[in-house]
Amino acid sequence: MTSTDRSDTLALLVAAALAACGPASGATAGDTDTDPTAGDTDTTTVDMPTTAASEGPTGEPGDTDTDTTGEAPPELVCAGASWATPVEPGEFLGVAADSRGHAIGFGTSQTSLTFPDALIVDVGPDGVPVHSIGAGAPGEYDSVGGSGVDGDDNVYALVDEGFTTDDGLDARFWLRKFDTGGALVGELDLGTASQGVRPYDLAVAPDGSVVITSRDPVDHDVVTRRGPDFAVLWEVNAPALHVHAVNAAGTSVALRSRDGVVKLGADGQTEWDIDWPLWNPGAADLDDLGNVVVAGTAEDGAPLTVARFDPDGTLAWETKFTLRNQFDEISDIAINAAGTVAVAGYTQTDGWKAFALRLDAAGEIVEQHHCDQPESRGEAIAIDEAGRMFLAGILFQDGAENLAYVAAFD
C-alpha cells in the first residue's frame, strides 16, 4: 500500500533490471502456471536455513556505485522514534508487526546495480535485526511483491523471480511461507509472466489464508483467496480491483482503480462499493470488526485525506490536512483493534522526508513524526495491538547505496 502502489513499484524494479540485462521484455508481473481450482494445492514443506544479509551490495540503478562495505551506516533522525535502524542496502516497501513486538521488513536488496534480490528482515523489539530470510533465488533478479504475517507470526511473501530462457527473460511467481525462525515451511508455484496472469500483491489473514491480486492479459484484476493450505477458496474478476487487506473474518478491503473503496465478504462477493476519489493509488486497511480506513489524495496538490467507514459502509469521519506543502504524499495506512490509525508517507520540502502519523479512533491527528535527516521516504507502516507503530522505507545517500530502514514509535 503506497503513494505509488508498493507492489507495482517492486515489479517495475524487476522490469528495469531485466531490461538492463538482456534484449527481452522484463518480469513485471506473473501468471498462473497451475490450474487455479479448489483443491489444487502445491504446498511443500522443506527445511531451509535462514541466510545472512548480502554483503557488499550497491545502490539502485542511477546511483553512484560506491563501495561502502564495512562503513558504519548513517544515523536516521526521526523525531519521537524509540529507535531508527538502517538495515542494509536496498529498500523496504512493506512492513508487518507480529505478536512478539518484531517488525518484518519486506522489499529489495541489491547485490549489484542490475541484480536486485528479495529482501525480508526480522527486526527485534530493540531495533536490532534478528535475521534475514532468503526468499528468492540468490544471484537472480527477484523481489517481494506483497507480504504479511499471520496470527502465529508466520511470514508470507509473494516472490517475483526473474530468470533467463532461450527466448529471453521471464519471471516466475511464488507464494512462500516462513516460520518465525526464517525456515521455509510452504510454497506454491503461481506460474510465469509469459503465461499471462501477473500476481502483484498479497494480503494475509490471521488464520493463514491469503488474498492475491493479479492482473490478466487484458488488464483486468483477478482476486483469489486461498486457504491456509493454499487451496483456492474463491476467485473474482473485476477491472482495476486491488485488495489491500483481509481480516480474521475473511472480509477484504479493496480500492477500485483510483476512484472507489470496495468491501468484499468472506465469499468474495461485494458488500459495498463507494465512490471515493484518489488522485494517487492510495492505501487501505480494515480491522476484525470490519471498520475500513483509507488514505490518499483526491487530486494533484489537494490536502491529504484519511477516512474511516463503518462496517456497513457509512462514513464515520474524514480528516483532511497538509503537513508541509501541497507535495505531501501518503503511502500506507494501518489500523489496530483499538481503532488507532497509523499513516506513512513523505514530504518534498528540501528533498524527501519520511513521516509517520497517529490518528485516534475519532480521526484526530494526535502525533506527527518526521524523519528530517538524511533524505528518506516512508513507504510502509504497521501498528501492533499495543499501539507501537513501525515505519519502513528508503534512506537515500549521496554517492552511496540507498538503505532499507525501520523506525519504531511507541
Side-chain angles (χ1 to χ4, degrees):
M1 314 174 207
T2 74
S3 60
T4 56
D5 187 327
R6 244 183 353 225
S7 313
D8 289 344
T9 301
L10 284 165
L12 289 172
L13 284 170
V14 175
L18 294 177
C21 293
S25 59
T28 60
D31 276 300
T32 311
D33 166 60
T34 55
D35 182 11
T37 55
D40 180 13
T41 307
D42 187 16
T43 306
T44 58
T45 302
V46 301
D47 183 14
M48 190 184 80
T50 60
T51 59
S54 56
E55 296 182 359
T58 59
E60 63 184 353
D63 287 348
T64 303
D65 186 5
T66 303
D67 183 5
T68 58
T69 303
E71 294 181 8
E75 181 182 3
L76 175 61
V77 179
C78 298
S82 305
W83 48 259
T85 304
V87 176
E88 70 169 77
E91 55 189 43
F92 283 144
L93 299 178
V95 68
D98 71 13
S99 67
R100 306 169 299 162
H102 289 224
I104 316 298
F106 303 87
T108 304
S109 177
Q110 293 198 329
T111 54
S112 76
L113 290 179
T114 54
F115 286 86
D117 285 327
L119 177 64
I120 305 177
V121 181
D122 184 324
V123 181
D126 56 0
V128 177
V130 177
H131 61 253
S132 296
I133 295 175
E140 298 290 348
Y141 356 90
D142 50 47
S143 62
V144 177
S147 55
V149 298
D150 65 17
D152 294 323
D153 297 332
N154 296 303
V155 175
Y156 296 73
L158 182 62
V159 181
D160 175 347
E161 289 186 351
F163 63 92
T164 304
T165 71
D166 291 340
D167 297 325
L169 298 170
D170 205 343
R172 184 171 294 279
F173 299 85
W174 298 88
L175 172 60
R176 288 186 170 134
K177 175 182 176 180
F178 304 88
D179 65 18
T180 54
L184 179 67
V185 293
E187 65 177 6
L188 177 66
D189 183 350
L190 297 172
T192 65
S194 59
Q195 293 169 331
V197 177
R198 302 162 292 175
Y200 68 87
D201 207 1
L202 174 71
V204 181
D207 67 354
S209 62
V210 300
V211 178
I212 299 172
T213 305
S214 307
R215 190 165 291 119
D216 71 12
V218 293
D219 287 333
H220 282 70
D221 283 296
V222 181
V223 178
T224 308
R225 185 178 178 207
R226 293 179 177 270
D229 60 355
F230 295 167
V232 173
L233 301 179
W234 52 256
E235 186 167 276
V236 297
N237 298 296
L241 189 67
H242 175 192
V243 170
H244 285 243
V246 57
N247 67 9
T251 303
S252 305
V253 59
L255 295 183
R256 170 171 43 81
S257 185
R258 296 188 177 189
D259 59 4
V261 185
V262 181
K263 186 178 179 185
L264 303 176
D267 58 358
Q269 299 303 303
T270 300
E271 291 190 2
W272 46 259
D273 184 336
I274 296 171
D275 290 338
W276 202 73
L278 287 168
W279 175 74
N280 61 18
D285 197 12
L286 80 169
D287 63 19
D288 286 342
L289 296 177
N291 296 296
V292 169
V293 288
V294 294
T297 308
E299 59 186 20
D300 189 11
L304 304 180
T305 303
V306 178
R308 201 202 83 189
F309 294 91
D310 290 336
D312 64 359
T314 301
L315 181 64
W317 50 258
E318 188 174 53
T319 302
K320 296 180 181 290
F321 55 93
T322 298
L323 297 178
R324 292 185 173 174
N325 58 43
Q326 72 270 27
F327 303 112
D328 300 341
E329 293 279 356
I330 286 178
S331 56
D332 199 11
I333 191 170
I335 185 172
N336 67 5
T340 304
V341 178
V343 177
Y346 50 92
T347 62
Q348 298 182 58
T349 299
D350 188 27
W352 282 324
K353 307 296 183 183
F355 68 77
L357 307 178
R358 186 191 304 271
L359 285 74
D360 64 20
E364 295 294 324
I365 298 175
V366 293
E367 292 179 23
Q368 290 189 38
H369 303 283
H370 295 266
C371 300
D372 284 322
Q373 294 294 331
E375 194 169 353
S376 60
R377 279 173 51 159
E379 294 287 355
I381 202 161
I383 184 168
D384 64 19
E385 297 312 316
R388 194 179 217 195
M389 302 188 300
F390 296 100
L391 174 70
I394 310 165
L395 179 62
F396 296 99
Q397 299 190 84
D398 291 336
E401 302 98 332
N402 297 333
L403 294 169
Y405 75 86
V406 180
F409 305 90
D410 292 326

